[in-house]
Amino acid sequence: MSRAARIRLFLVAAALIAAGWAAASLDLPGFGGDRHPYADRAVAAALDHRTANTVSAVNFDQRAFDTLGEEFTLFTAVLGAVVLLRRARDEQARTPRPGSVLPPVRAAGTVLLPVAVVTGLYVIAHGQLTPGGGFQGGVVVASGLHVAYLAADYRVLRRVRPRAVLDVADAVGAGAFAALGLLGVVHGAAYLENVLGLGTLGELASGGLVPLLNAAVGLEVGSAVVVLLASFIDQAVEIEPA
């Protein structure tokens, strides 16, 4: 496709999206008033499905199909970065030199790494109950693993984040979200409809499908962020011209 054809395609797509956005915006309620129809309905629907965190109820129940799109947007972005940053024919891998780290930094990192990872897993597991969830917790877990890079060096980071395993985990997380949506179809309902047992409000096993979708997002986001950062760090530390 030529450059001119790509520009024309972009302009047509941008015009259609802008027209749809403008048409949808005309039906929005006024700002600054005391009428909040969407918020009122979202809270009522969250409580009806035994999900204490309304934000998670919106993300993984009321508009779970939109979240599926967001998840695969991240998956596609990471896949694109991995493809673009893969080692070229005129590049080679070199053995990185060990880094020098001050003892206080090393001690702080040794303590913070497990704390950060456990905190991220907690945020993911309790996403249907308290603020947080798979998106936030996944980023916390991924960030926690990279404390190893700051507190030690690149070689230690490679040991705590096996990239080959996380490549697979990224795909499994995204695929699990899509596959869980089929439960609704099997039960004769809509795709991604919350058809599982709802449990008791406030308990860990509550919200029906919400905690499972939340866990799938946590797996995908955490793995995706690690793989993305690994692509850039590997280029900076390990790859050099042949």
Side-chain angles (χ1 to χ4, degrees):
M1 183 182 293
S2 65
R3 176 181 175 85
R6 290 198 300 269
I7 292 176
R8 286 194 295 270
L9 180 62
F10 167 76
L11 292 176
V12 171
L16 291 174
I17 293 174
W21 185 276
S25 298
L26 294 176
D27 290 332
L28 289 174
F31 292 101
D34 57 357
R35 178 173 171 269
H36 304 284
Y38 303 121
D40 295 340
R41 293 172 182 172
V43 172
L47 296 177
D48 184 57
H49 280 189
R50 313 293 191 271
T51 307
N53 182 7
T54 303
V55 175
S56 288
V58 172
N59 287 337
F60 304 115
D61 190 354
Q62 300 167 37
R63 50 170 288 266
F65 193 77
D66 295 344
T67 304
L68 176 65
E70 296 171 5
E71 175 138 350
F72 275 90
T73 297
L74 174 61
F75 178 78
T76 304
V78 173
L79 179 61
V82 170
V83 171
L84 290 173
L85 294 173
R86 70 188 187 279
R87 191 170 66 188
R89 294 179 180 177
D90 58 347
E91 295 177 331
Q92 63 182 5
R94 61 182 173 86
T95 303
R97 295 187 299 271
S100 177
V101 181
L102 295 175
V105 176
R106 188 181 298 274
T110 302
V111 173
L112 287 176
L113 192 154
V115 171
V117 171
V118 171
T119 300
L121 294 175
Y122 179 91
V123 172
I124 294 172
H126 291 76
Q128 70 276 12
L129 302 178
T130 57
F135 286 101
Q136 299 87 339
V139 173
V140 173
V141 171
S143 302
L145 290 177
H146 284 82
V147 171
Y149 185 54
L150 302 176
D153 58 20
Y154 175 77
R155 297 174 303 169
V156 174
L157 174 62
R158 289 191 62 177
R159 288 198 293 269
V160 301
R161 58 111 172 113
R163 180 168 173 177
V165 174
L166 293 172
D167 282 335
V168 175
D170 184 17
V172 169
F177 194 109
L180 285 168
L182 295 173
L183 291 175
V185 178
V186 171
H187 283 77
Y191 180 70
L192 282 171
E193 186 171 339
N194 195 345
V195 295
L196 296 184
L198 299 176
T200 302
L201 181 67
E203 293 187 356
L204 189 61
S206 61
L209 196 59
V210 172
L212 297 180
L213 294 176
N214 187 53
V217 167
L219 177 63
E220 198 274 332
V221 170
S223 302
V225 172
V226 173
V227 171
L228 181 64
L229 292 176
S231 299
F232 284 98
I233 296 176
D234 290 354
Q235 276 285 329
V237 176
E238 192 175 65
I239 304 301
E240 64 180 6

